[in-house]
Amino acid sequence: MNSPATPTAALLDRPDVQRGLAWLMLLLILVISWLALSPAPPKQMNLGWDKLNHLSAFATLGLLGRLAWPRRTFAVLLALLAYGAAIEVLQGLVPGRSGEWPDLLADALGLLLGSLASWALSRLLRPAPHDTN
């Protein structure tokens, strides 16, 4: 007999929790968009290196996206990468800002890290099935 999932794992599988994570991700997208498209974002919201800002923001988006839509990983990550590309294009239209390929690379690496963190979290929270023999 398989052991039951841990309470935390069961919590992550609940549709209402996944909906909440999706709303949290939408809120984060709004904050990131504001920061990325502001001519002069607040210095308190800076980690000290622009690429680290991108990496951490997109790692968080990747983690939330995979948790909110666990069966649509590829589509979610692709949409988030397209969002990152759109930010880079739009930054070229903002005075004092510019779009850069290395920023998009940092976004992609962040999505990879967030995805790996989601996978690791899922592995940690879901016990391995036990042999019934």
Side-chain angles (χ1 to χ4, degrees):
M1 176 180 211
N2 289 345
S3 61
T6 63
T8 307
L11 181 70
L12 291 176
D13 291 334
R14 289 179 36 189
D16 60 327
V17 171
Q18 291 173 347
R19 243 186 331 276
L21 291 168
W23 280 107
L24 182 60
M25 187 174 127
L26 177 61
L27 178 62
L28 183 59
I29 285 172
L30 292 173
V31 170
I32 291 168
S33 297
W34 174 71
L35 290 169
L37 300 175
S38 295
K43 294 192 184 315
Q44 300 87 344
M45 300 294 290
N46 190 333
L47 297 174
W49 184 40
D50 181 55
K51 304 312 175 251
L52 185 57
N53 294 337
H54 284 265
L55 186 82
S56 62
F58 278 80
T60 306
L61 288 174
L63 174 66
L64 289 173
R66 285 212 41 189
L67 293 176
W69 294 283
R71 291 174 242 347
R72 296 188 178 135
T73 296
F74 182 75
V76 168
L77 295 177
L78 188 61
L80 288 170
L81 187 59
Y83 165 67
I87 284 175
E88 294 308 313
V89 169
L90 292 172
Q91 278 184 333
L93 304 174
V94 176
R97 303 297 294 264
S98 63
E100 300 176 2
W101 284 107
D103 288 349
L104 187 58
L105 178 60
D107 296 347
L109 291 173
L111 290 173
L112 178 62
L113 286 175
S115 186
L116 289 172
S118 171
W119 174 82
L121 184 63
S122 296
R123 297 278 297 170
L124 287 172
L125 296 177
R126 287 181 173 78
H130 293 95
D131 212 355
T132 58
N133 294 333

